[in-house]
Amino acid sequence: MSQQHLIGRLCRDLPAGKLEWIGLRSTHKGQIVEVDAVRAIAERGLEGDHRVAKTPGSGRQVTLISREFIAQICGHLGLDQIPPALLRRNLVVSGVNLNALRYQQIRVGSQVIIEAGALCHPCSRMESALGKGAVAAMLGYGGLCAKILCGGEIRVGDLVQKIDHPLPIAPRPIQGRLL
């Protein structure tokens, strides 16, 4: 049984969480701009974010981290709080076990469906942003990378919930062949 099916079965009926924060970067190492709403573009990314111009179908079109993970990172670093923009993720969610959403399809708001995949590991820039030991503090708490399956608008305050009956996904062409 694949990890996707096992996690999906064990986490059926996971309670919904909430979208708390949205951040976009127009360039790779650019400044994060906080927004209240954004249009998610299927197979591309979030409108206004630099990843929208990258390879279609990438598994890193959007990144998520949870408010609970941020609290863990704060605890490891002895900080009271960390502004979400410093962590360079696109979406901050709360009230849902983010690790239970790995390999799952997730509805954000009423229209957008994303598929979470790889862990979003911290980069060395976290040391300069948060201080010595930040990379180690973030290990296991860096969030998830995801791709956008169905586009639409998302807004701060939207529900974030695992889809218990995922949409079938058509095979994607890779170098002239179907997966």
Side-chain angles (χ1 to χ4, degrees):
M1 179 178 286
S2 73
Q3 286 186 348
Q4 177 182 21
H5 294 295
L6 179 61
I7 293 171
R9 194 181 80 204
L10 294 174
C11 297
R12 188 160 302 203
D13 301 320
L14 192 67
K18 180 179 169 186
L19 181 59
E20 298 278 341
W21 184 89
I22 303 169
L24 307 171
R25 301 178 276 175
S26 62
T27 62
H28 173 62
K29 293 183 180 181
Q31 184 84 16
I32 297 274
V33 175
E34 181 178 349
V35 297
D36 292 326
V38 67
R39 188 168 69 97
I41 304 168
E43 297 294 324
R44 300 303 298 199
L46 301 176
E47 188 172 65
D49 192 77
H50 74 101
R51 293 201 177 273
V52 81
K54 306 253 176 170
T55 306
S58 162
R60 195 179 170 104
Q61 296 167 4
V62 63
T63 54
L64 301 92
I65 193 166
S66 69
R67 180 74 61 201
E68 293 81 2
F69 282 4
I70 295 172
Q72 283 292 118
I73 297 165
C74 285
H76 291 306
L77 293 173
L79 300 172
D80 292 329
Q81 64 179 353
I82 297 172
L86 288 181
L87 298 173
R88 307 191 63 77
R89 303 300 186 256
N90 296 118
L91 307 177
V92 176
V93 302
S94 66
V96 64
N97 180 348
L98 201 57
N99 286 328
L101 297 178
R102 190 165 181 211
Y103 304 118
Q104 304 301 304
Q105 289 182 13
I106 306 156
R107 182 178 312 281
V108 182
S110 62
Q111 302 171 327
V112 175
I113 297 176
I114 63 175
E115 184 175 61
L119 297 175
C120 194
H121 298 294
C123 70
S124 60
R125 281 181 279 158
M126 292 299 102
E127 296 283 320
S128 60
L130 302 175
K132 187 171 174 71
V135 170
M138 287 183 72
L139 289 175
Y141 302 106
L144 299 173
C145 299
K147 57 185 154 189
I148 300 169
L149 302 178
C150 294
E153 186 168 329
I154 59 174
R155 299 180 118 1
V156 170
D158 280 349
L159 288 181
V160 175
Q161 54 195 45
K162 181 177 136 337
I163 298 174
D164 285 327
H165 304 287
L167 301 174
I169 303 304
R172 295 189 240 320
I174 299 292
Q175 296 179 349
R177 296 189 314 239
L178 291 179
L179 283 178

